[in-house]
């Protein structure tokens, strides 16, 4: 199989776009939003107006805490007032199970978006489980454990009801990112 055939094989990319300069492949995508707590008066309304997917982040916020952040997370405000919510992170199937490629990509992206953040949160759930299998607990539980281990290895920890948080002002995430870079250094 020629190199260009391997690159265009099913599962190698999430999407492909052909243009004059060749074919552009997307192998990793992450979506979410950043909230500036110093500018948002009604957090719940703001989340609800975005998308129903953001409702599961509601436990992070509590009106009795400073700037609307849950009191257990207030120490994060020493680093700023921005909260990054990661709704989805996907890597093409061919890139999964390669010893941390997905984690490395997430770690690098988090350096860009989480540097000024007080808190980063995600809802680690296996979004690629087919809808007809989501009623069967065994595959979902197994896949959910894999997804949660990925986020835990990046310095995230459970907070409340499947919402996991990473506190950028702590060294945990940076140490995890440096470890991944060391592992992948021969390939970079």
């Amino acid at each position: 199989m020629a190199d260009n055939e391997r690159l265009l094989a099913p599962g190698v990319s999430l999407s492909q776009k052909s243009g004059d300069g060749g074919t552009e492949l997307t192998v990793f995508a992450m979506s979410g939003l950043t909230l500036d707590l110093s500018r948002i008066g009604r957090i719940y309304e703001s989340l609800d107006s975005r998308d129903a997917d953001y409702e599961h982040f509601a436990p992070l916020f509590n009106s009795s805490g400073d700037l609307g952040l849950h009191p257990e997370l207030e120490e994060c405000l020493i680093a700023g007032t921005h909260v990054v919510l990661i709704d989805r992170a996907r890597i093409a199937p061919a890139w999964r199970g390669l010893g941390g490629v997905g984690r490395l990509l997430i770690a690098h992206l988090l350096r860009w978006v989480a540097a000024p953040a007080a808190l980063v949160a995600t809802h680690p759930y296996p979004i690629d489980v087919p809808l007809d299998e989501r009623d069967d607990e065994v595959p979902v539980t197994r896949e959910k454990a894999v997804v949660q281990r990925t986020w835990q290895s990046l310095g995230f920890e459970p907070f409340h009801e499947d919402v996991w948080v990473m506190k950028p002002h702590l060294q945990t995430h940076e140490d995890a990112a440096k470890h991944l870079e060391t592992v992948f250094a021969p390939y970079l």
Side-chain angles (χ1 to χ4, degrees):
M1 184 183 298
D3 284 342
N4 61 345
E5 289 176 16
R6 270 190 229 125
L7 285 175
L8 300 176
V12 171
S13 67
L14 297 173
S15 66
Q16 301 175 16
K17 185 169 82 175
S18 295
D20 296 336
T23 302
E24 179 181 303
L25 303 176
T26 301
V27 298
F28 172 73
M30 194 159 78
S31 63
L33 64 104
T34 300
L35 303 172
D36 184 349
L37 299 179
S38 67
R39 299 175 136 215
I40 300 173
R42 297 186 175 124
I43 299 283
Y44 295 114
E45 290 175 18
S46 181
L47 290 175
D48 189 42
S49 70
R50 295 264 179 203
D51 189 326
D53 285 348
Y54 290 103
E55 285 179 34
H56 49 255
F57 291 108
L60 296 170
F61 307 102
N62 183 331
S63 60
S64 66
D66 287 346
L67 295 178
L69 197 57
H70 191 284
E72 291 179 30
L73 300 171
E74 284 181 351
E75 93 263 1
C76 296
L77 293 173
I78 63 168
T81 61
H82 291 86
V83 174
V84 175
L85 304 178
I86 300 169
D87 181 44
R88 300 187 191 279
R90 295 187 66 218
I91 188 165
W95 296 91
R96 297 176 190 166
L98 297 177
V101 171
R103 290 181 295 150
L104 181 67
L105 292 170
I106 292 169
H108 278 278
L109 190 55
L110 285 176
R111 279 192 174 147
W112 296 327
V113 298
L119 182 70
V120 180
T122 191
H123 178 243
Y125 189 84
I127 58 175
D128 288 339
V129 173
L131 290 174
D132 60 336
E133 292 181 22
R134 289 188 183 181
D135 291 335
D136 185 3
E137 281 296 311
V138 175
V140 171
T141 302
R142 184 176 53 246
E143 292 299 317
K144 187 175 175 182
V146 169
V147 172
Q148 289 176 341
R149 273 194 310 273
T150 297
W151 290 99
Q152 186 174 29
S153 72
L154 291 168
F156 284 77
E157 58 189 29
F159 174 66
H160 186 297
E161 295 179 13
D162 289 335
V163 174
W164 288 46
V165 297
M166 186 267 287
K167 301 170 182 175
H169 67 280
L170 300 179
Q171 192 63 33
T172 312
H173 173 69
E174 189 59 32
D175 290 346
K178 286 180 183 175
H179 172 73
L180 286 167
E181 289 169 351
T182 302
V183 169
F184 285 97
Y187 307 104
L188 299 177

